Amino acid sequence: MEVGTTRNVVIVGSGPAGLTAAVYTARANLQPLVIEGELSSTSDQPGGQLMLTTDVENFPGFPNGIMGPQLMMSMREQAERFGAEIVTKKATKVDLSASPIAIWTEDPDAAEPDVTTKSLIISTGASSLMLGLPNEARLLGYGVSTCATCDGFFFRDKRIAVIGGGDSALEEALFLTKFGDSVTIVHRRKELRASKIMQDRAFKNEKIDFVWDSAVVDILGDEKVSGIKIQDVITGEDRELAVDGVFVAIGHEPNTGLFKGQLAMDAAGYLVTEGGTRTALPGVFACGDVQDHVYRQAITAAGSGCMAAIDTERYLASFE
């Protein structure tokens, strides 16, 4: 990355959305620069959440599945093959108030940005909220998951625990009943936060049972999940529950802190787009989980990355 240069397009984020956008903009001869993030950042993981995933079996074109990190490295190599430049840096500051757009990757207080760009594609994704338990990170991908749609198939005829009490948790639990032998929802309170219709569906499902007023304080297992330790939040009593899978469904947080006060966001902090991937600011586009809190799949993120690239290409072409 040559400091002080103005690029045609800069892509911030390198998950399926960002790398797909890089492939398309590179093939359009726009010489994209991808600021992929840093390995030390939990909310700016190069390669996105798939870097923390083991088997991916629902991405088209891989009948035998593919490891998440392998898929992302292949997408990265494909983008570089067509001329995308990828730098392992974290965007620390963005100024969208003027054209060209200014981006800092080092000192956010520096007088001059590290790079400026005619257009910007935001694909910083979203981070799954976690419980913060030591064994949770260690067993992620080995029985611990944050996505039932992605991993439910691997728990056929298994005992599953879902942590949470909102719509997302119940949606995950209901989906997992298609595969698991039993699904136990563990919730800190006596009442669910989910909508009435979702509660009714869960209560009527014979495969779902509930553990109320309880918090998960540990996840058990050496090489894979064997159970959870739960604590009664009223009595303080601990007990263990044998399960083969733990799905953490306490929500997601979009990685939009860099753009607060500059771009419109919904109540949950996701970027607002209209007509595809366009934001309210000309030349600024958003794709993937940073603006999608409904589907949150690798394939939908990749699809929106393609859309953002085409929208960007047309935007730049309008000035020729």
Side-chain angles (χ1 to χ4, degrees):
M1 180 180 73
E2 185 177 348
V3 175
T5 58
T6 296
R7 310 293 293 243
N8 288 317
V9 56
V10 169
I11 301 167
V12 180
S14 60
L19 290 179
T20 301
V23 169
Y24 273 78
T25 51
R27 283 175 54 84
N29 201 30
L30 295 177
Q31 295 89 39
L33 171 67
V34 181
I35 302 174
E36 70 170 352
E38 293 180 338
L39 291 170
S40 60
S41 174
T42 55
S43 64
D44 202 31
Q45 169 74 39
Q49 295 186 63
L50 282 188
M51 294 298 290
L52 306 175
T53 305
T54 51
D55 291 307
V56 177
E57 292 198 328
N58 56 1
F59 200 93
F62 300 95
N64 297 316
I66 185 172
M67 298 293 285
Q70 182 184 351
L71 175 60
M72 297 319 302
M73 287 305 298
S74 295
M75 294 179 72
R76 192 181 196 274
E77 291 171 6
Q78 186 177 9
E80 289 181 314
R81 174 194 166 199
F82 292 116
E85 180 185 357
I86 301 176
V87 295
T88 307
K89 292 177 177 288
K90 178 181 174 65
T92 57
K93 178 182 173 183
V94 174
D95 183 0
L96 306 179
S97 64
S99 181
I101 295 164
I103 303 173
W104 285 256
T105 61
E106 301 290 345
D107 181 6
D109 297 321
E112 297 296 327
D114 296 296
V115 65
T116 56
T117 180
K118 300 174 185 176
S119 63
L120 174 66
I121 296 177
I122 301 168
S123 55
T124 47
S127 301
S128 299
L129 298 178
M130 305 298 286
L131 299 170
L133 305 174
N135 286 331
E136 181 181 40
R138 181 176 65 83
L139 292 170
L140 189 64
Y142 298 92
V144 175
S145 175
T146 59
C147 178
T149 309
C150 310
D151 300 328
F153 179 81
F154 300 113
F155 294 89
R156 191 174 295 277
D157 300 324
K158 302 292 186 181
R159 300 161 299 179
I160 303 170
V162 174
I163 317 303
D167 278 342
S168 294
L170 267 60
E171 185 177 347
E172 298 267 286
L174 288 163
F175 180 83
L176 289 166
T177 60
K178 299 178 181 180
F179 306 100
D181 180 65
S182 64
V183 177
T184 301
I185 296 176
V186 182
H187 187 42
R188 295 182 62 89
R189 300 176 179 84
K190 188 64 177 177
E191 300 87 16
L192 297 169
R193 293 179 289 106
S195 59
K196 185 65 165 58
I197 188 170
M198 293 298 291
Q199 292 191 43
D200 290 342
R201 289 174 183 171
F203 289 140
K204 290 177 181 178
N205 195 303
E206 296 180 353
K207 281 191 175 183
I208 296 178
D209 60 1
F210 296 84
V211 175
W212 303 105
D213 294 323
S214 297
V216 177
V217 295
D218 200 3
I219 298 176
L220 311 175
D222 294 326
E223 296 182 356
K224 62 180 182 179
V225 169
S226 63
I228 54 176
K229 179 184 288 187
I230 55 180
Q231 184 178 79
D232 190 302
V233 297
I234 297 176
T235 66
E237 180 182 356
D238 291 344
R239 67 185 179 97
E240 295 183 1
L241 178 67
V243 295
D244 305 292
V246 179
F247 285 78
V248 182
I250 57 176
H252 291 76
E253 183 176 33
N255 301 323
T256 53
L258 197 61
F259 311 101
K260 285 185 177 177
Q262 301 190 78
L263 288 174
M265 303 179 188
D266 66 13
Y270 289 85
L271 295 181
V272 175
T273 55
E274 50 191 45
T277 65
R278 295 191 301 273
T279 70
L281 294 182
V284 180
F285 306 89
C287 56
D289 288 7
V290 75
Q291 51 88 229
D292 169 28
H293 54 81
V294 177
Y295 301 105
R296 294 199 302 263
Q297 299 298 304
I299 189 63
T300 54
S304 69
C306 165
M307 295 164 60
I310 293 173
D311 288 342
T312 301
E313 181 183 1
R314 290 173 177 171
Y315 169 78
L316 294 173
S318 68
F319 294 98
E320 295 180 357

